[in-house]
Every structure is written in structure tokens, then in C-alpha cells.
Amino acid sequence: MGRIHKRYLDATPIYVCCECLTHVVAYDSIMSKSFKGKHGRAYLFDGVVNVTLGAVEDRVLMTGHHQVADIYCTGCGTNLGWKYESAQDPSQRYKEGKYIIEKLLVKKLIQSAPCTWSVRNVPSAPSSDEWTSDPGF
């Protein structure tokens, strides 16, 4: 196995892994906020970075039968949600290739300028200027 190279997002705000602060997705990539995950609210995104895919498996979700693969943070291995691989119901096929990220498993990073952090200067604990607990997430 080779060295993992993390991508850093030049967007603001962004969502980061709640455990290790690895960049995951830009806020502008939200397609829908009306999803539910294992841990409560979840959002549908078009694309994510710094995740690995688990095995594809069949699941019966609230909207029917789907083939999904869990997604894991490349920084720490936390399960962040899943990727829709296929949907049985034609009305649900718009989800194919899209990602569900659970709100509880990420944090929203708000900055006044685009984020260009390197690993060595990621804060160990968020300050009130960097994080929000905005219920509107």
C-alpha cells in the first residue's frame, strides 16, 4: 500500500471529518438536505474527497432497495456515510454515484478566505472563529 495523499479544498465553507479534520466536501456540493442516515440527518452530495469505499452491499433503505458502499475517511477511517452504487426503483436512480454524508460525523469549517492548510498547521482544537454549531448546517 502506498502513501495516501490528501486533497485540500479551496472552498468555504467546507465539511471536515469530525475526528481528524480531514477535508471531505465543499458546502456548495450539497444536492439535498432531506436525507436520514444511521445517526440522524444526512445530506446528499455530488462528489467528495479523501474517502475510501467499502464493499458494495444490498440495503433496503427508506426509499427502497439500493446497492451502496460505505465511505471512510482516509485520515482516520471513520465511517462518514455511503455511496449509492445503484437503485432498483427508476425514480431513485438520480442517487447513483452520489454520496450521503451524515451530519453527526462531519463539522462545518467556516473561514474568511479559501482553505489552503497543510497537515502541520491544522488546529488541534477548533476555535469559535473557525467552527459553527449552526443548526442550519
Side-chain angles (χ1 to χ4, degrees), residues 32-44:
S32 175
K33 292 183 176 183
S34 62
F35 283 78
K36 299 275 187 218
K38 296 175 192 173
H39 303 99
R41 288 182 67 186
Y43 298 150
L44 182 70

Side-chain angles (χ1 to χ4, degrees), residues 96-122:
E96 292 177 356
K98 307 297 188 282
Y99 299 84
I100 291 291
I101 301 289
E102 299 202 46
K103 182 180 176 182
L104 184 67
L105 304 175
V106 291
K107 293 183 180 185
K108 186 176 181 182
L109 175 64
I110 298 175
Q111 296 188 163
S112 58
C115 184
T116 55
W117 288 347
S118 67
V119 173
R120 68 180 169 273
N121 63 3
V122 172

Side-chain angles (χ1 to χ4, degrees), residues 52-110:
T52 57
L53 291 174
V56 175
E57 58 185 52
D58 291 329
R59 286 193 196 149
V60 178
L61 303 172
M62 291 174 60
T63 56
H65 180 85
H66 299 273
Q67 284 192 320
V68 300
D70 285 335
I71 57 174
Y72 301 92
C73 174
T74 57
C76 65
T78 297
N79 181 326
L80 300 173
W82 64 87
K83 178 182 181 184
Y84 285 104
E85 296 291 343
S86 66
Q88 197 171 46
D89 183 345
S91 71
Q92 298 299 310
R93 293 210 173 120
Y94 74 94
K95 297 176 187 175
E96 292 177 356
K98 307 297 188 282
Y99 299 84
I100 291 291
I101 301 289
E102 299 202 46
K103 182 180 176 182
L104 184 67
L105 304 175
V106 291
K107 293 183 180 185
K108 186 176 181 182
L109 175 64
I110 298 175

Side-chain angles (χ1 to χ4, degrees), residues 9 11-15 25-31 33 43 45 108-109 134 136-137:
L9 299 171
T12 188
I14 63 171
Y15 294 112
V25 66
Y27 178 82
D28 292 343
S29 298
I30 292 176
M31 296 181 67
K33 292 183 176 183
Y43 298 150
F45 289 94
K108 186 176 181 182
L109 175 64
D134 177 16
F137 189 72

